[in-house]
Amino acid sequence: MSSAHSAAALPMTVRRSGPLKGRVRAPGDKSISHRALIFGLLAVGETRVSGLLEGEDVIRTAEAARALGARVERLSEGEWRVQGVGVGSLLEPAGTLDFGNAGTGSRLMMGVVAGHPITARFDGDASLRKRPMGRILDPIGLVGATTVDAAEGKRLPLTLKGARNPVPVSYETPVASAQVKSAVLFAALNAPGQSVVIEKEATRDHTEKMLAYFGADIRVEPHGAHGRKITLTGQPELKPRPIVVPADPSSSAFPIVAALIVPGSDVVVEGVMMNPLRIGLVTTLLEMGADITETNRRIEGGEEVADLRVRASRLKGVVVPAERAPAMIDEYPILAVAAAFAAGETRMNGLAELRVKESDRLQAVADGLAVNGVPHRIEGDDLIVTGAATVRGGGTVATHMDHRIAMSFLCLGLASEQPVSVDDTAFIATSFPDFVPMMRRLGGDLT
Ligand code: S3P
């Protein structure tokens, strides 16, 4: 398989473009796509998936599922079939599970392996090797898994020995992270009795919803002001169910913001997943005065979705509260781009988690704004951007192997006075392989 991390860098330049027009649909949700393959592996029998995101991150998870015993086949575009082995029956993988750039795939699969009496080696690209894995290794250790070896600072590459007799856990996540929560739930799945996971801030709930959908006994209750308590009964027999993957709101964010900042634009972004734990960006943009109208709200694949009509708007700066961060954690880079064109200051509070994404996104965003003449500052974990009707542009942005940094600054260049370059677009293929053609279809000048 060709992969971004072994390929040469693909720089790109984008120029100020005429009004963006048309209807687009983002690819399948990345979070649900990873989980679809994992649930397929953990159910006994055949799980059919449609609308799977065929980005490099998800393909790595498909390969890992195969290495752990599933038969995984691509039938046609987005249509996949997984023949699972069931909770408790995973095979020990013959080789290293290489997750490339994929934090979600690697961390969720560590949870899966942790509850099984197998040993697996995990690795990834230079970006993934920098990311903290202690947040996963520590709680799955409570289930009985042991970290045989790991790179300094509990990082990849690492070898994980799953528990022979996994024990149920009661665990409160120290950071607001759906990856940590999900890894613990997967690890506890093969333990007898009830496990409890508490999160102080509710994060995306796809794992919980899919556990219930596949027949596990799971209860979710409110906990404190913004949190949740999840109680899971282990050792279920998961029953295969068809999965329809809705469009990814985090990918939809790029055409949405591009349409807002390019004068005269009028774009419909179809089928955007409106799960309240994913849609903080749209809430924020509406507060900034964005002209976004929602039509055709419906259910797709167990999630509410809607078509969003987005027209170019004069935005104004707002304060984005820290409590909203989990519902838009991947959208701050593109929000910073919207903020560059908004009148006055936009203050984004509580962005500590951005430092441990595919890149240090707080710094990467600040540097990208700096080279394009956008005034901003970092105060502690907060980012403050001072916007204006015009943005100079003219900079070359360092993307640091981060797909969302690349896509965000390509959007900035669609509306800035001078062309914007990004040093490498190869990693866009991890989550949104059709991004550049889609933006061109809307009228974007990307070369
Ligand atoms: C994800 C959770 C988030 C998000 C990532 C996908 C998931 O990470 O940034 O892109 O699918 O669970 P954290 O849980 O580390 O915040």
Side-chain angles (χ1 to χ4, degrees):
M1 193 194 77
S2 75
S3 76
H5 75 299
S6 58
L10 292 172
M12 186 169 286
T13 298
V14 56
R15 288 181 178 73
R16 189 179 194 140
S17 303
L20 304 179
K21 304 266 175 177
R23 296 179 76 89
V24 290
R25 187 188 166 90
D29 186 64
K30 184 150 74 76
S31 293
I32 295 180
S33 294
H34 283 299
R35 288 162 173 82
L37 296 167
I38 292 173
F39 276 94
L41 164 70
L42 294 175
V44 183
E46 184 180 306
T47 295
R48 290 289 285 262
V49 187
S50 49
L52 189 85
L53 166 65
E54 294 176 342
E56 287 175 5
D57 278 12
V58 175
I59 300 301
R60 297 300 181 130
T61 295
E63 286 169 0
R66 271 189 201 116
L68 291 163
R71 194 165 148 202
V72 184
E73 292 164 279
R74 180 182 194 264
L75 306 175
S76 59
E77 196 186 331
E79 296 291 322
W80 289 63
R81 174 161 65 196
V82 185
Q83 198 74 38
V85 291
V87 174
S89 302
L90 301 193
L91 302 184
E92 184 158 286
T96 298
L97 305 177
D98 182 351
F99 283 93
N101 198 250
T104 305
S106 60
R107 288 172 169 155
L108 267 47
M109 222 44 125
M110 285 178 202
V112 170
V113 166
H116 289 80
I118 57 175
T119 297
R121 186 154 175 85
F122 289 77
D123 204 353
D125 68 13
S127 157
L128 192 57
R129 282 182 174 199
K130 284 188 199 153
R131 301 181 67 184
M133 296 300 170
R135 55 176 58 198
I136 303 294
L137 299 174
D138 294 347
I140 64 178
L142 303 174
V143 176
T146 45
T147 307
V148 178
D149 57 54
E152 207 187 322
K154 299 189 184 173
R155 289 177 211 280
L156 296 181
L158 62 83
T159 308
L160 185 66
K161 186 168 185 275
R164 185 153 298 280
N165 295 302
V167 292
V169 287
S170 182
Y171 186 70
E172 180 168 326
T173 58
V175 281
S177 166
Q179 293 178 356
V180 174
K181 166 179 69 178
S182 301
V184 179
L185 290 171
F186 283 131
L189 207 50
N190 197 27
Q194 289 194 333
S195 287
V196 175
V197 181
I198 289 174
E199 50 180 2
K200 280 197 281 293
E201 306 271 349
T203 62
R204 67 191 70 194
D205 55 0
H206 308 304
T207 303
E208 298 91 302
K209 282 174 133 174
M210 292 171 87
L211 278 167
Y213 180 59
F214 274 71
D217 179 3
I218 180 166
R219 197 168 70 238
V220 181
E221 300 157 281
H223 181 84
H226 308 287
R228 292 193 171 172
K229 177 182 176 193
I230 303 147
T231 309
L232 172 68
T233 304
Q235 299 183 333
E237 187 182 316
L238 298 181
K239 303 264 188 324
R241 302 289 308 269
I243 299 175
V244 179
V245 183
D248 195 324
S250 301
S251 298
S252 304
F254 300 108
I256 290 172
V257 169
L260 289 173
I261 62 176
V262 176
S265 297
D266 187 348
V267 170
V268 175
V269 185
E270 294 175 357
V272 182
M273 186 186 1
M274 300 301 280
N275 180 319
L277 294 167
R278 296 293 300 280
I279 210 69
L281 176 74
V282 172
T283 307
T284 304
L285 292 172
L286 289 170
E287 288 172 3
M288 294 172 83
D291 182 350
I292 301 177
T293 49
E294 182 196 310
T295 55
N296 198 11
R297 204 179 253 253
R298 58 205 185 267
I299 304 281
E300 271 179 18
E303 293 282 358
E304 293 207 1
V305 304
D307 300 335
L308 301 181
R309 181 177 183 190
V310 187
R311 279 172 280 198
S313 307
R314 283 296 304 129
L315 302 175
K316 62 176 190 330
V318 293
V319 176
V320 189
E323 308 84 77
R324 198 178 289 162
M328 55 179 296
I329 192 65
D330 292 333
E331 282 68 80
Y332 285 102
I334 190 64
L335 176 63
V337 168
F341 292 91
E345 267 189 14
T346 295
R347 186 179 185 103
M348 300 162 230
N349 289 339
L351 306 189
E353 276 296 297
L354 285 200
R355 297 188 194 275
V356 290
K357 294 297 176 187
E358 286 83 331
S359 65
D360 174 347
R361 274 192 187 149
L362 191 48
Q363 196 56 51
V365 167
D367 293 346
L369 295 173
V371 292
N372 288 296
V374 180
H376 65 281
R377 57 189 197 278
I378 294 174
E379 286 176 6
D381 295 330
D382 306 339
L383 174 65
I384 301 104
V385 178
T386 306
T390 58
V391 167
R392 190 200 70 207
T396 297
V397 176
T399 51
H400 301 286
M401 306 175 80
D402 189 330
H403 54 134
R404 298 197 203 280
I405 297 298
M407 290 187 276
S408 297
F409 284 96
L410 289 174
C411 290
L412 181 98
L414 293 169
S416 58
E417 293 179 317
Q418 297 169 29
V420 170
S421 298
V422 300
D423 67 350
D424 191 6
T425 57
F427 289 85
I428 292 175
T430 61
S431 71
F432 199 162
D434 194 40
F435 172 78
V436 171
M438 179 187 287
M439 297 312 286
R440 283 190 185 133
R441 285 198 295 277
L442 287 175
D445 182 355
L446 298 90
T447 47

